[in-house]
Amino acid sequence: VGGGAMRTDSEPDTYYVWRTQSDGRVRSSHAANEGRIFSINYPPPTGHPGEAYGCRCWAEPVSNRYVSQ
């Protein structure tokens, strides 16, 4: 995940891991996002988890210190 701006440890988490229900009803485009880390400022082409109609995916917060800047 790219960046470039300096951050401090007092900034809120701005990344998440995409999680799905891991069943046969998950859209293939959302299944492809499972386990990947995204920035809340730069959503994937599918949008953020839970935004699409009927989407049951969710965002699992990740601390910025675990994301390579």
Side-chain angles (χ1 to χ4, degrees):
V1 177
M6 294 293 290
R7 67 167 207 82
T8 65
D9 289 333
S10 62
E11 290 181 15
D13 292 345
T14 56
Y15 297 94
Y16 62 86
V17 177
W18 186 294
R19 296 296 184 201
T20 70
Q21 295 293 329
S22 299
D23 61 19
R25 294 175 44 207
V26 176
R27 294 172 175 98
S28 60
S29 59
H30 291 199
N33 290 339
E34 169 65 30
R36 293 183 58 201
I37 297 174
F38 296 99
S39 168
I40 62 170
N41 296 320
Y42 302 99
T46 55
H48 292 301
E51 287 184 341
Y53 180 79
C55 178
R56 301 171 298 134
C57 301
W58 71 95
E60 180 181 304
V62 174
S63 175
N64 286 342
R65 69 179 146 182
Y66 297 113
V67 178
S68 173
Q69 295 288 317

